[in-house]
Amino acid sequence: MFETAEVGSALSDDAFREIRGRLRLDLVSLQQKCRAAGFPVIVILMGVKGAGILDTVNLLNTWMDPRWIATTTFDDPTDEEMERPMFWRYWRSLPKAGSIGLYPGGWYMDPIAQHCNGALSRTQLDEALLSIKAFERTLAEEGALILKFWLHLSKSEQRKRLVRQTKDPVVGLKATDRAWQTPKNNDVYRKTASYTLRQTMDAKAPWFIVEGTDDNYRRATVLMTLRDTLAHHIKIRKRLTKQRSKDLSKESKKAQSLGTNGAKNQKEVRTKTTAPREHVPVRRVLDTINMKAKVSAADYASAFHRAQVRLHKAQKKARKASLSCVIVFEGWDAAGKGGAIRRLTFALDSRDYRIFPIAAPTDEERAHHYLWRFWRHIGRAGRMTIFDRSWYGRVLVERVEHLISEEDCLRAYSEINDFEEQLASNGTLVVKFFLHLSDAEQLRRFKRRQNKAYKRWKLTDEDWRNREKRPQYEAAINDMISRTSTTIAPWHLISANDKNHTRLTVLEIVSEELEKALSKPSKRK
């Protein structure tokens, strides 16, 4: 695979001087257009030791505006990083929209080195590469531009470089000894690298193999490739943004038309039809919930304390066993998510959990992939992370409000399942609740909040507006549950009409899931 990068390609100093001025101007101009277009750029730089990786990084930081470039290298994982899923540290480092992230070694360095050193089998390497492909595909589908460069040297040229490097440590420009350590068996390293490139080559995250023998040629090739790809991506993004805006506008107008004229249109259809169609009732997931479930005050008083003691003991064991837990609360407005969370945390040591109420994304969060803000909140080993609303807003609020296209919504189901699978693969317990409230009970609670001064702050105009869209939300909720209730992260559907029943059931399920996870062989790394 590397034969084409060992042919002795070169560029004279005069030839490089002729193109460098225009090339630098183009890159600076494109960098500003990238900021305006609002998409992140991810550049991975890999290669053999001495091929000029860091020289390329320094050149990019020098030629372009460094305020919008961040260079990140990954050394041995810290204790904090080891207590979380592997991709946690990669997600946290991602560049925001309009900026460029340079990654010497990137997320490829560890699997390649570990396979060469015998720490990873071929099967484990394949699994790691599949995870990387899924990660990059998720970012690319959301608009990120990903370029991956492999800077190559022939064996003879590398030997020359390494000899020179012993005399002058600046030559070759390495990031860290660990990052660019060449395995003793050079052939194994190159074979593993070649296999990795083939397995992770993708149209939306391509590899570019660049010969590094001649510095001018290597610099010009990388910079020109970046320039041309950036320019092409900007054109595509402009076209897609324009088309997407039109599509979302059409969907929004269609939804408004159905909402205001639906009844009228249906009446007109019925008058034109000779025989009315029979209505076939559709039974959905939400219809299977027993909405009459109730726990009396007396039963609740006695059972609640026992449930808290059970939960306290389970979480204490989980903390000792380094079992992390992510708990997700979704449900209707006024369904009692806050009350359930308060009862849940009554039984816990406040040092062992954190609660994240999720509202509309901030400007910083909007500048990243929608999963970025959730990845950064994943807790350390043994801790419990509680989300009051979550990443499911992508397929609920954003779907109903037509903030994303149907294609984006369908893709989100897969991305969410993959996110939760990564958590579970790392040994994190994922517990998801949906608190279902009947239409009549929700209206009663809304009116109660409206009439009580100390509860009035809980009720907003947006709550009333969401209530008017209940049919659309019901359809979205049923789709969400059917597409994202998996064996590793199933949905627990709870009737929220009776608060005692809701709170007690939440406590019992969390305790049961913790005990079940503790009884299984540990997956925690």
Side-chain angles (χ1 to χ4, degrees):
M1 188 174 189
F2 298 132
E3 289 78 9
T4 57
E6 297 182 1
V7 296
S9 300
L11 190 67
S12 68
D13 290 340
D14 290 340
F16 186 62
R17 274 193 293 269
E18 285 183 14
I19 64 171
R20 63 181 297 172
R22 182 61 189 174
L23 183 55
R24 186 172 185 177
L25 182 62
D26 288 345
L27 285 170
V28 172
S29 175
L30 287 168
Q31 185 181 20
Q32 299 309 311
K33 290 181 180 180
C34 171
R35 288 183 58 201
F39 62 86
V41 179
I42 296 168
V43 180
I44 305 284
L45 290 139
M46 287 284 293
V48 299
K49 188 175 182 180
I53 288 123
L54 200 55
D55 173 72
T56 306
V57 171
N58 289 340
L59 190 63
L60 286 168
N61 276 289
T62 302
W63 277 25
M64 304 173 78
D65 192 331
R67 292 175 297 175
W68 307 103
I69 299 179
T71 302
T72 305
T73 58
F74 300 107
D75 295 319
D76 287 323
T78 62
D79 291 341
E80 183 183 20
E81 291 170 339
M82 290 180 69
E83 292 182 11
R84 292 178 167 91
M86 180 179 68
F87 282 87
W88 179 76
R89 63 174 178 165
Y90 304 142
W91 273 97
R92 293 183 74 215
S93 73
L94 290 176
K96 64 181 181 180
S99 61
I100 300 172
L102 304 179
Y103 295 89
W107 27 88
Y108 289 93
M109 177 179 65
D110 283 339
I112 290 177
Q114 288 171 7
H115 180 64
C116 291
N117 296 331
L120 279 186
S121 66
R122 173 56 69 87
T123 300
Q124 291 172 321
L125 175 62
D126 287 339
E127 290 175 356
L129 298 182
L130 283 174
S131 295
I132 288 174
K133 282 195 72 173
F135 173 53
E136 292 176 345
R137 192 180 306 116
T138 295
L139 301 179
E141 291 286 359
E142 199 67 16
L145 172 61
I146 303 174
L147 299 93
K148 300 179 295 192
F149 293 98
W150 180 271
L151 308 186
H152 194 70
L153 293 173
S154 65
K155 291 181 183 180
S156 59
E157 180 60 29
Q158 187 183 27
R159 279 194 292 269
K160 293 178 184 177
R161 291 283 179 102
L162 294 180
V163 170
R164 289 170 57 200
Q165 191 170 322
T166 60
K167 299 177 181 179
D168 183 357
V170 176
V171 176
L173 292 169
K174 57 183 180 176
T176 64
D177 287 339
R178 176 183 176 277
W180 307 115
Q181 181 181 12
T182 305
K184 293 179 181 178
N185 190 329
N186 196 283
D187 290 334
V188 172
Y189 180 73
R190 291 169 187 258
K191 184 178 179 181
T192 302
S194 178
Y195 179 77
T196 298
L197 267 60
R198 290 198 306 272
Q199 295 300 110
T200 57
M201 177 68 76
D202 191 278
K204 293 188 176 181
W207 279 102
F208 299 93
I209 301 175
V210 181
E211 186 170 7
T213 304
D214 180 77
D215 290 339
N216 286 338
Y217 176 81
R218 183 248 309 159
R219 292 166 183 163
T221 302
V222 171
L223 296 173
M224 291 172 71
T225 302
L226 176 60
R227 178 197 62 185
D228 296 343
T229 310
L230 255 178
H232 180 65
H233 197 70
I234 288 170
K235 289 181 181 178
I236 292 175
R237 289 292 298 173
K238 283 183 178 179
R239 186 168 67 248
L240 289 177
T241 300
K242 189 175 180 179
Q243 184 59 45
R244 185 177 180 180
S245 179
K246 288 182 179 179
D247 292 343
L248 289 176
S249 178
K250 287 180 181 178
E251 289 182 17
S252 181
K253 289 179 180 179
K254 182 179 178 181
Q256 292 175 6
S257 175
L258 289 173
T260 56
N261 301 320
K264 179 181 177 182
N265 292 339
Q266 289 175 12
K267 185 176 179 181
E268 289 176 355
V269 169
R270 285 197 296 270
T271 58
K272 295 177 182 179
T273 307
T274 55
R277 291 183 179 180
E278 292 185 9
H279 175 66
V280 180
V282 178
R283 186 169 173 78
R284 294 178 172 177
V285 178
L286 293 179
D287 299 328
T288 64
I289 303 173
N290 178 17
M291 301 305 293
K292 295 182 180 179
K294 190 173 183 178
V295 176
S296 67
D299 290 341
Y300 178 73
S302 60
F304 182 66
H305 177 68
R306 289 196 302 271
Q308 285 196 313
V309 171
R310 181 187 178 190
L311 176 60
H312 178 79
K313 290 180 179 179
Q315 175 56 20
K316 194 173 181 180
K317 290 179 181 178
R319 180 71 173 86
K320 188 176 181 180
S322 296
L323 172 63
S324 302
C325 182
V326 170
I327 301 180
V328 173
F329 282 89
E330 292 287 352
W332 297 101
D333 295 327
K337 293 183 293 297
I341 291 172
R342 283 198 301 276
R343 272 66 179 184
L344 179 69
T345 56
F346 281 170
L348 304 176
D349 187 326
S350 59
R351 295 170 296 178
D352 293 339
Y353 71 85
R354 289 197 66 185
I355 304 170
F356 295 98
I358 302 302
T362 63
D363 289 343
E364 181 187 18
E365 291 167 342
R366 271 194 291 267
H368 292 84
H369 190 282
Y370 72 92
L371 287 174
W372 175 81
R373 63 170 171 162
F374 303 110
W375 267 105
R376 65 202 292 248
H377 290 321
I378 298 302
R380 300 184 68 168
R383 275 72 164 187
M384 183 179 287
T385 308
I386 303 170
F387 289 96
D388 181 359
R389 299 202 184 278
S390 66
W391 41 93
Y392 284 99
R394 182 70 166 180
V395 294
L396 293 177
V397 177
E398 293 188 38
R399 165 181 163 168
V400 173
E401 297 297 334
H402 301 286
L403 300 176
I404 59 174
S405 66
E406 184 178 352
E407 181 184 355
D408 291 335
C409 185
L410 291 173
R411 189 176 68 247
Y413 296 124
S414 176
E415 293 170 345
I416 288 170
N417 286 335
D418 183 63
F419 170 43
E420 293 174 353
E421 184 178 356
Q422 289 187 58
L423 296 179
S425 296
N426 193 63
T428 299
L429 173 64
V430 182
V431 184
K432 303 185 298 192
F433 294 107
F434 186 84
L435 307 188
H436 187 40
L437 195 64
S438 68
D439 184 58
E441 179 61 20
Q442 185 186 47
L443 180 59
R444 189 187 72 80
R445 292 186 186 181
F446 272 25
K447 290 181 176 179
R448 188 182 177 190
R449 287 182 175 184
Q450 196 172 41
N451 296 330
K452 287 186 179 290
Y454 69 91
K455 287 193 172 186
R456 199 170 296 149
W457 66 272
K458 292 185 176 182
L459 191 64
T460 65
D461 291 339
E462 186 177 352
D463 293 332
W464 287 108
R465 191 170 66 85
N466 289 341
R467 180 173 162 76
E468 292 176 359
K469 297 184 177 183
R470 187 175 174 105
Q472 294 96 308
Y473 273 102
E474 285 183 341
I477 291 164
N478 276 284
D479 284 347
M480 174 193 77
I481 293 169
S482 64
R483 292 174 183 271
T484 61
S485 192
T486 62
T487 54
I488 60 171
W491 278 102
H492 297 278
L493 310 179
I494 302 176
S495 167
N497 278 3
D498 179 72
K499 293 183 178 181
N500 289 343
H501 166 75
T502 304
R503 294 164 182 174
L504 190 59
T505 304
V506 166
L507 285 170
E508 291 173 343
I509 289 175
V510 173
S511 299
E512 182 181 342
E513 292 295 326
L514 281 171
E515 292 165 354
K516 193 186 304 180
L518 287 165
S519 68
K520 296 178 181 178
S522 176
K523 292 182 181 179
R524 295 174 289 283
K525 298 175 181 178

